[in-house]
Amino acid sequence: MILRVNLPMDSYDIILERGCLKNAKDLLNLNRKCLIVTDSGVPEKYAQLVASQCFAPTLVTIEQGEKSKNIDNWKLLLETMLRNDFTRTDCVVAVGGGVVGDLTGFVAASFMRGVDFYNIPTTLLSQVDSSVGGKVAVDLCSVKNTVGAFYQPKRVLIDPDVLSTLPSRHVSSGLAESLKMALTSDAELFEIFRSGTALQNVDLVIERSLKIKISVVEQDERESGLRKILNFGHTLGHGIETYDELSGLHHGECVGLGMLPMCSDEIRGDVEAALKALNLPTKIEGDIEEMMNLVAHDKKCDGGNISFITVEKIGSFEIRKLPLEDWKNIVRSRI
Ligand code: GLY
């Protein structure tokens, strides 16, 4: 299936097809120098399969984890391209999850003011969300996505077969991002979660999530309004994630927890049941006040006000901006 992302400047196709990795050379222009970036957590065979189809591959494996999304790795990759005589007509390919995609995309955006970028996401989270929409970045001093750009890929290849090697906890974490989109935008997709059959219908969940993501990005590429709905659950979620760095909750798990207090009393029970069906946590453990204080450092906080999304009714949303203390009161009253 081909899903088109229509944008004023840089439209592109997403190929969603089981087995498409094997046909990468027919779907992407790999007949040139290709920098392929993957990480140590991704089975080697995927990047090797892509490299075997390239005319002149250079494969770099970075260490798995958010800490790799840094300026040092960005510089290392640019230097690798320079040393290997890459030019503006060569390309960069990400084979991995959100960290690899964000870092590699930013390398593509910066090398000689921009070279072609192909994204081949291998986690469910990156397949349904981060590989589409052109947000590329690295972190600075552990502050997420401080240095980055909007730089759209030339094409995205999504092969659900690669999910067979993804640990189930990562699959659940990815599904939390789809659940996020269902809650704000697609009541029918939520029914798949409600019935506890998301795992059995993963191709359909990916497709519907991508359609939501595409529609949002087409309407608001640079996040001046509507795209903020993709941050549903992320405001408190980032606070939980930062607080919990050492015990290691996954991103999607934090997003799931972050969504709950942003849901009305009417729907919270259904959302909790959907999270439980995915084996995602539903109870915030630890000092919630501390977590909320960490949110104050988040980029969504502006002049003492905080932007966030609430869902009163499944499939609809409100974009809200309130003084930080008012937002904290909402959280306190709903946990
Ligand atoms: N993952 C949020 C966005 O692409 O805007």
Side-chain angles (χ1 to χ4, degrees):
M1 169 186 307
I2 298 178
L3 299 167
R4 182 82 176 157
V5 185
N6 283 304
L7 295 170
M9 300 281 285
D10 303 297
S11 298
Y12 54 98
D13 288 336
I14 303 165
I15 315 293
L16 169 58
E17 198 176 298
R18 286 198 175 260
C20 68
L21 219 64
K22 291 192 205 91
N23 304 323
K25 70 171 184 318
D26 301 322
L27 299 165
L28 312 174
N29 175 6
L30 302 178
N31 196 20
R32 47 185 163 166
K33 285 188 178 155
C34 308
L35 176 76
I36 301 158
V37 183
T38 191
D39 78 37
S40 55
V42 179
E44 270 178 46
K45 61 181 177 181
Y46 299 135
Q48 297 286 2
L49 179 58
V50 176
S52 70
Q53 299 174 71
C54 295
F55 168 70
T58 301
L59 176 56
V60 178
T61 305
I62 59 166
E63 213 178 298
Q64 177 180 26
E66 181 73 27
K67 286 206 162 56
S68 283
K69 220 175 98 176
N70 60 38
I71 294 272
D72 291 341
N73 276 335
W74 171 74
K75 181 165 171 271
L76 174 115
L77 293 168
L78 290 171
E79 284 170 356
T80 303
M81 294 176 79
L82 203 57
R83 263 202 317 278
N84 286 281
D85 300 320
F86 275 66
T87 68
R88 290 202 63 196
T89 56
D90 294 319
C91 71
V92 172
V93 189
V95 182
V99 168
V100 169
D102 284 9
L103 168 68
T104 308
F106 190 47
V107 168
S110 348
F111 188 76
M112 296 190 179
R113 300 198 183 90
V115 297
D116 285 355
F117 169 45
Y118 297 125
N119 205 341
I120 307 184
T122 59
T123 63
L124 188 52
L125 192 148
S126 55
Q127 291 190 343
V128 296
D129 192 353
S130 64
S131 64
V132 174
K135 280 188 178 176
V136 296
V138 293
D139 305 338
L140 188 65
C141 307
S142 301
V143 183
K144 278 191 175 197
N145 304 322
T146 309
V147 188
F150 285 97
Y151 192 72
Q152 301 295 340
K154 268 272 166 284
R155 202 163 246 203
V156 180
L157 292 196
I158 299 183
D159 183 348
D161 278 349
V162 304
L163 300 176
S164 64
T165 51
L166 193 67
S168 63
R169 193 171 167 197
H170 290 253
V171 173
S172 294
S173 190
L175 286 171
E177 297 283 359
S178 292
L179 177 60
K180 165 196 85 178
M181 294 191 227
L183 285 168
T184 58
S185 313
D186 187 347
E188 271 182 43
L189 175 58
F190 184 76
E191 287 310 312
I192 298 180
F193 287 101
R194 194 202 297 274
S195 64
T197 58
L199 277 169
Q200 294 92 304
N201 289 293
V202 78
D203 292 36
L204 182 62
V205 171
I206 296 172
E207 180 191 331
R208 289 193 84 113
S209 306
L210 284 170
K211 285 182 174 161
I212 296 167
K213 176 94 194 217
I214 291 167
S215 159
V216 170
V217 168
E218 284 180 345
Q219 292 174 71
D220 180 20
E221 185 183 354
R222 299 280 170 135
E223 198 171 313
S224 50
L226 180 69
R227 189 162 176 172
K228 291 187 184 27
I229 67 167
L230 298 171
N231 295 328
F232 175 49
H234 285 64
T235 308
L236 179 59
H238 279 160
I240 299 170
E241 205 169 357
T242 311
Y243 174 89
D244 210 76
E245 213 165 18
L246 292 177
S247 72
L249 276 182
H250 289 196
H251 176 73
E253 294 168 341
C254 297
V255 169
L257 288 168
M259 289 191 292
L260 280 172
M262 298 296 114
C263 291
S264 64
D265 294 345
E266 213 184 317
I267 66 164
R268 207 156 47 251
D270 285 345
V271 178
E272 209 170 305
L275 290 170
K276 280 189 179 140
L278 298 173
N279 288 318
L280 290 164
T282 55
K283 192 109 204 75
I284 299 172
E285 307 283 352
D287 184 348
I288 186 71
E289 295 299 321
E290 178 64 20
M291 292 171 197
M292 291 194 293
N293 287 337
L294 288 165
V295 173
H297 298 288
D298 194 281
K299 66 180 186 317
K300 291 168 209 73
C301 240
D302 150 30
N305 290 320
I306 187 160
S307 297
F308 59 99
I309 311 300
T310 54
V311 172
E312 298 297 312
K313 189 171 158 291
I314 287 164
S316 68
F317 61 86
E318 260 184 73
I319 300 178
R320 299 176 69 180
K321 190 169 192 172
L322 285 179
L324 184 62
E325 201 49 37
D326 292 1
W327 171 78
K328 285 184 177 181
N329 283 333
I330 294 177
V331 175
R332 286 180 189 123
S333 69
R334 288 178 169 181
I335 56 166

